[in-house]
Amino acid sequence: MSKVGVIMGREFLSTVRRRSFLIVTLGMPFFLTAYMAMVGLLPAYFLIRSGRSEKPVGMVDLARVVRPEVVEALGKERGEAGRDARTIADRVAPGSARVKAITSLLEDVDGPIEFVTLPSRDDALRRLREGTVQRVFVVPVGYLESGAIEVYQTETSPFARGGERADGALTRILRLSLAAGNLPDDVRARLDRPIEPSALSSYLVRPDGGVEPLMDAERIARMVIPGVFALLLLMSLLTSAGYLLQGVVEEKENRVIEVILSSVTPRELLFGKLLGLGAAGLLQLGVWVSVAGFASSLLAAAALAYLNWKLFLFCLLFFVGGYMMVGSLMTGTGALGSNARESQQLSVIWTLCLVIPPAMTWMPIVDDPNAWMARALGWFPLTGPITMMIRLGTGKVPTWDALVALVCLAAGVYLSIRGAAALFRLGLLMYGKRPSLREIARQLRHA
Amino acid sequence: MSTLLFSRLRKTYAATVAVDDVTFEVRPREVFGLLGPNGAGKTTLIRMLIDIIAPDSGEILLDGRPLGRAERDRIGYLPEERGLYRKEKVIDILAYFGMLKGLDRRTARASSLEWLERIGMPEVANRRADSLSKGMQQKVQIAGALLHDPQIVVMDEPFAGLDPLNTVLVKDLLRERRERGGLVILSTHQMPMVEELCDRVAMIDHGRLVLYGVLEEIRRRHGESIVLVGADADLEDLPVVARVEPQGALHRVILRDGARPRDLMALLLEKRIAIDHFEALRMPVEDIFVRTVRSRSATPAPPPPPVVAGAERRA
């Protein structure tokens, strides 16, 4: 076994045997489940309950324009959010139990609104005071000319729950009632739903002029794969780099480092540690992802159904390159610290360099992934991994562009490992003190 | 049989010259003492040998060839600043050290157990390092430096923290390496250990080689100038005598430069002075050490490194 392999094996095993690693790895899914239940499911549950006990809306039609059959038909219909969710789900992951559960939840939250037709304004206001209706719409005489509507409610908040949905339902009732008898049925239906989501088709125009269908699911998958890789990269760096630094500081503090460096070069040590702890970090993420049932969720199903292998491969390469570069830089600078806290502070700067520029320019990059700024951030090794994942997600980046970014990243990885190994060598043998800037510059010149 | 040559090594840190044009040779079947006051440059020399630090100029050669990866794997090293992975089992730590030196997992574990047996601690194999006493940890680290049967052994203060019994054990281990044809480099401030173990020594001061050669020769050269004499006479008037100090009932006679005890004896006989006691003293290495360092501190500019017996410089 090579020495890098020996170090990698030890780092991996000593990390996964740590009690803190086991607690975090196995405990995180349970913690997240409980957390999701608290912040996500409980409000949803209460929404459903409140939705089911929602009072009807009173309607007084003094202008005589509302058709009772329209009110009755809409009272049975689901809201648009639930209907759209079902449409997308059927196209993306037909038959998935998890998807059905999610769309049912949405449909329950976005249930139908019941309207009751009342004879007069006074009667309606009395029922409002009694609390048997949640609000009252009055369509006054002269509505056709003025378009005026009177709304009566007991709540003062302009954001009172149900108001927006009730307004939407009233608009549909009025639109369909006005069209009834005056327009052919097919025109009436189209007026209600000018765009049918299930019949919406998108096409991609390639740079060579060719046109190809672009499926919604594929567009989602295009964004999902880079998104997942970007998330994994960040989490890998935040988790395994923490262990990496902890290990380096421990070896420095307990003086084992000098014995180790008598057997391996700083570069081999750095490389072995990166690989071993990277593997431990990936194992941790793998456990989290598996336990969370990610593989059966909506986004993963879409990603798997429309997996673009070229995109996947590029993202994987940017992930590995980004991890190697930032991980080595973090370790190199972390080794300069005289204690664990100082090392953490010194090393976190690289994560910020990786994340902040692409995060701040995310929207412009998505809008125009081949603009000079997007290209510059993509080709610069430190910001390249995340930027390229965002750019590749748009599907508009030419292959040569991605290859240039990969070459730049590879050069960055090479230089950062060389530089980090030099800093590593300098920092590891300085017990209890930090090297001066002049010493650091000198060491880097000789790297 | 291999010879290790440190050839014209130089290393600077900013404005400080840590090692300045140092050349010496370590031969097979010898324990070589690397001596010098704190901060003299000994650790820098050792770190250059094990390739933790690169020299600015000069080279280290084994049998005339630069040290490569395979040769460095044949070095066993016990640093002055040392420690173990506190929360890990002793057997795992030793096996890891062995594997880093190129042993396969099975051999590394077997050798680790064998060495724990040799240092009289087989029962600690599965104990965590932080449960051991300081002396026990020290012995485990010595085992870690030797378990891959190195050709070159470098030990920096190996006796620090050991009780007399374990000191004997470590001395025996070092002598055994010498008997088996190994090169042993011992860096220590414990001069009695140097007198007892070392065949040849090199002394570094302010990065320069100030003493180098066979220990007995160095001692003889420095020790010849002092004679303990029991005689009822005024010895200060003798031409070979620099000064006389009382030492109990005897006289401690310090001879002039170049004078030998036999010259004093001849004079005493010539002048028919009755002699009760005549003893040419062997100067303790510690005194040689202190005298050399003090004489250099008093000198404004350091002299060029002396080339003495056994230090022929290679081009």
Side-chain angles (χ1 to χ4, degrees):
Chain A
M1 194 190 291
S2 73
K3 291 187 179 182
V4 172
V6 171
I7 296 164
M8 180 184 161
R10 185 200 167 270
E11 294 297 329
F12 178 79
L13 286 175
S14 65
T15 302
V16 299
R17 282 179 190 154
R18 278 174 199 256
R19 199 173 297 166
S20 62
F21 181 88
L22 291 173
I23 290 171
V24 171
T25 305
L26 300 176
M28 184 64 84
F30 295 103
F31 169 77
L32 274 181
T33 308
Y35 184 75
M36 290 289 284
M38 277 174 63
V39 302
L41 294 179
L42 280 180
Y45 171 74
F46 286 118
L47 273 176
I48 292 165
R49 277 195 59 175
S50 67
R52 280 179 184 151
S53 62
E54 207 167 54
K55 294 168 189 166
V57 174
M59 162 91 75
V60 182
D61 179 21
L62 301 176
R64 305 216 172 269
V65 293
V66 174
R67 298 281 186 114
E69 68 273 17
V70 171
V71 175
E72 193 184 342
L74 290 188
K76 292 172 186 163
E77 265 191 32
R78 298 277 178 197
E80 283 193 20
R83 201 169 52 235
D84 290 349
R86 174 75 70 190
T87 307
I88 294 170
D90 285 346
R91 297 178 63 185
V92 163
S96 163
R98 178 70 52 101
V99 170
K100 276 182 187 160
I102 293 170
T103 46
S104 304
L105 192 69
L106 268 172
E107 285 174 351
D108 276 348
V109 174
D110 196 27
I113 293 179
E114 187 189 348
F115 278 80
V116 288
T117 311
L118 301 169
S120 68
R121 184 184 281 115
D122 291 343
D123 186 39
L125 294 182
R126 183 179 52 78
R127 292 187 64 170
L128 185 64
R129 281 195 303 274
E130 287 169 2
T132 52
V133 293
Q134 56 159 295
R135 66 180 57 216
V136 170
F137 290 122
V138 176
V139 185
V141 178
Y143 161 76
L144 280 177
E145 294 78 31
S146 66
I149 294 288
E150 296 166 15
V151 184
Y152 297 88
Q153 62 187 48
T154 52
E155 292 176 44
T156 54
S157 165
F159 306 111
R161 193 190 118 60
E164 195 184 325
R165 292 174 59 225
D167 290 350
L170 176 67
T171 304
R172 282 190 74 203
I173 287 171
L174 290 170
R175 189 188 289 149
L176 291 176
S177 296
L178 290 170
N182 296 322
L183 292 170
D185 283 352
D186 54 346
V187 177
R188 247 185 83 199
R190 200 45 55 230
L191 188 68
D192 184 30
R193 289 171 69 83
I195 299 170
E196 193 63 54
S198 59
L200 180 68
S201 305
S202 304
Y203 297 91
L204 178 70
V205 181
R206 293 195 303 266
D208 62 5
V211 177
E212 60 186 62
L214 185 65
M215 305 291 287
D216 285 342
E218 193 173 339
R219 273 192 294 186
I220 293 171
R222 271 190 187 284
M223 296 306 290
V224 165
I225 293 172
V228 168
F229 270 104
L231 189 69
L232 285 178
L233 177 59
L234 276 182
M235 291 187 76
S236 284
L237 286 171
L238 292 177
T239 54
S240 60
Y243 289 119
L244 194 67
L245 277 181
Q246 212 175 323
V248 169
V249 171
E250 190 186 337
E251 282 173 349
K252 204 173 151 180
E253 280 175 354
N254 65 21
R255 310 293 198 249
V256 177
I257 198 70
E258 203 155 335
V259 174
I260 307 285
L261 289 181
S262 73
S263 307
V264 299
T265 63
R267 208 172 297 171
E268 285 172 328
L269 181 59
L270 185 66
F271 215 62
K273 279 178 176 294
L274 276 173
L275 293 179
L277 288 158
L282 285 178
L283 174 74
Q284 188 174 56
L285 289 174
V287 170
W288 290 349
V289 167
S290 306
V291 174
F294 182 83
S296 62
S297 76
L298 183 70
L299 296 180
L304 290 173
Y306 295 92
L307 185 61
N308 180 329
W309 286 105
K310 197 168 108 184
L311 176 66
F312 182 84
L313 187 67
F314 268 123
C315 286
L316 187 66
L317 290 172
F318 281 111
F319 171 86
V320 172
Y323 176 80
M324 295 300 284
M325 192 176 67
V326 178
S328 58
L329 289 172
M330 286 175 86
T331 316
T333 41
L336 298 177
S338 53
N339 54 50
R341 196 171 163 187
E342 207 172 88
S343 296
Q344 293 277 10
Q345 287 169 346
L346 283 169
S347 63
V348 80
I349 189 168
W350 300 111
T351 315
L352 298 179
C353 289
L354 177 86
V355 175
I356 287 182
M360 289 180 71
T361 51
W362 181 291
M363 288 314 293
I365 292 173
V366 170
D367 280 349
D368 188 359
N370 292 320
W372 68 267
M373 183 196 69
R375 199 160 265 168
L377 284 175
W379 289 4
F380 184 61
L382 205 51
T383 49
I386 301 274
T387 309
M388 287 308 293
M389 287 174 191
I390 301 170
R391 292 182 67 207
L392 287 166
T394 63
K396 297 176 188 167
V397 178
T399 304
W400 67 265
D401 189 323
L403 288 174
V404 171
L406 266 183
V407 170
C408 292
L409 180 60
V413 169
Y414 175 75
L415 290 177
S416 62
I417 287 183
R418 273 191 84 100
L423 293 182
F424 201 53
R425 184 195 289 259
L426 175 71
L428 290 181
L429 297 173
M430 293 194 131
Y431 305 124
K433 68 165 189 167
R434 205 174 31 201
S436 65
L437 284 175
R438 184 182 289 182
E439 284 170 317
I440 292 171
R442 191 166 181 274
Q443 194 74 11
L444 286 175
R445 269 204 307 277
H446 289 93
Chain B
M1 292 296 165
S2 307
T3 301
L4 189 65
L5 175 69
F6 293 71
S7 174
R8 309 207 65 166
L9 289 174
R10 182 179 168 85
K11 180 71 189 176
T12 54
Y13 297 110
T16 310
V17 181
V19 173
D20 189 5
D21 197 21
V22 169
T23 297
F24 62 86
E25 194 176 68
V26 185
R27 297 168 182 165
R29 291 188 187 282
E30 75 174 6
V31 176
F32 186 87
L34 189 57
L35 316 179
N38 295 327
K42 303 185 299 293
T43 303
T44 303
L45 272 171
I46 292 173
R47 285 179 173 175
M48 284 194 273
L49 169 64
I50 57 174
D51 200 30
I52 293 181
I53 294 174
D56 296 338
S57 61
E59 55 190 344
I60 300 172
L61 305 168
L62 185 67
D63 285 338
R65 286 192 300 277
L67 284 169
R69 160 58 65 85
E71 287 75 27
R72 291 193 201 279
D73 276 354
R74 285 152 65 198
I75 298 177
Y77 176 45
L78 179 78
E80 185 182 10
E81 296 273 8
R82 50 187 165 244
L84 296 167
Y85 292 107
R86 285 190 287 265
K87 292 178 181 170
E88 292 190 20
K89 287 180 186 172
V90 170
I91 182 71
D92 291 339
I93 300 170
L94 287 178
Y96 179 54
F97 288 168
M99 287 167 75
L100 286 180
K101 285 293 184 187
L103 301 182
D104 63 69
R105 181 181 295 276
R106 185 178 292 180
T107 313
R109 288 188 83 84
S111 183
S112 303
L113 290 171
E114 198 179 301
W115 271 94
L116 285 174
E117 196 80 51
R118 284 209 61 185
I119 59 173
M121 298 168 55
E123 74 284 356
V124 305
N126 287 307
R127 275 173 61 182
R128 271 172 41 153
D130 58 4
S131 71
L132 305 182
S133 71
K134 207 172 171 183
M136 289 165 100
Q137 289 189 28
Q138 168 95 335
K139 283 164 68 181
V140 169
Q141 286 162 72
I142 290 171
L146 299 173
L147 62 88
H148 62 291
D149 193 19
Q151 181 189 9
I152 301 167
V153 175
V154 184
M155 297 224 163
D156 202 347
E157 295 293 356
F159 304 104
L162 290 182
D163 61 37
L165 218 59
N166 285 313
T167 301
V168 171
L169 172 76
V170 175
K171 280 194 284 194
D172 288 346
L173 289 175
L174 295 182
R175 286 193 187 105
E176 184 197 292
R177 302 308 305 175
R178 173 171 59 189
E179 301 317 315
R180 292 178 59 184
L183 287 77
V184 180
I185 298 176
L186 174 66
S187 174
T188 181
H189 290 138
Q190 296 186 32
M191 294 305 147
M193 296 299 170
V194 175
E195 294 193 38
E196 200 177 334
L197 285 170
C198 294
D199 303 294
R200 295 191 313 130
V201 298
M203 186 172 154
I204 312 290
D205 187 28
H206 288 92
R208 307 206 74 178
L209 188 66
V210 292
L211 271 181
Y212 172 45
V214 177
L215 186 59
E216 276 308 311
E217 278 180 24
I218 292 174
R219 201 186 236 157
R220 211 163 31 242
R221 266 192 293 122
H222 287 263
E224 278 177 350
S225 58
I226 302 174
V227 184
L228 210 54
V229 180
D232 191 13
D234 190 359
L235 303 175
E236 286 203 33
D237 292 340
L238 296 173
V240 295
V241 174
R243 66 178 192 280
V244 178
E245 296 165 355
Q247 185 169 325
L250 304 175
H251 303 282
R252 185 180 168 89
V253 181
I254 292 101
L255 302 180
R256 289 184 188 281
D257 281 350
R260 293 177 166 193
R262 71 179 74 156
D263 301 329
L264 177 63
M265 173 66 87
L267 272 175
L268 292 174
L269 291 173
E270 187 186 313
K271 292 186 180 293
R272 294 182 178 279
I273 296 172
I275 307 167
D276 300 323
H277 186 104
F278 191 95
E279 180 186 353
L281 289 183
R282 284 160 56 92
M283 182 178 269
V285 176
E286 192 161 338
D287 287 1
I288 300 172
F289 181 97
V290 171
R291 188 181 285 190
T292 308
V293 173
R294 279 187 181 156
S295 70
R296 283 180 51 76
S297 305
T299 313
V307 178
V308 293
E312 307 89 295
R313 186 175 292 175
R314 294 187 188 184

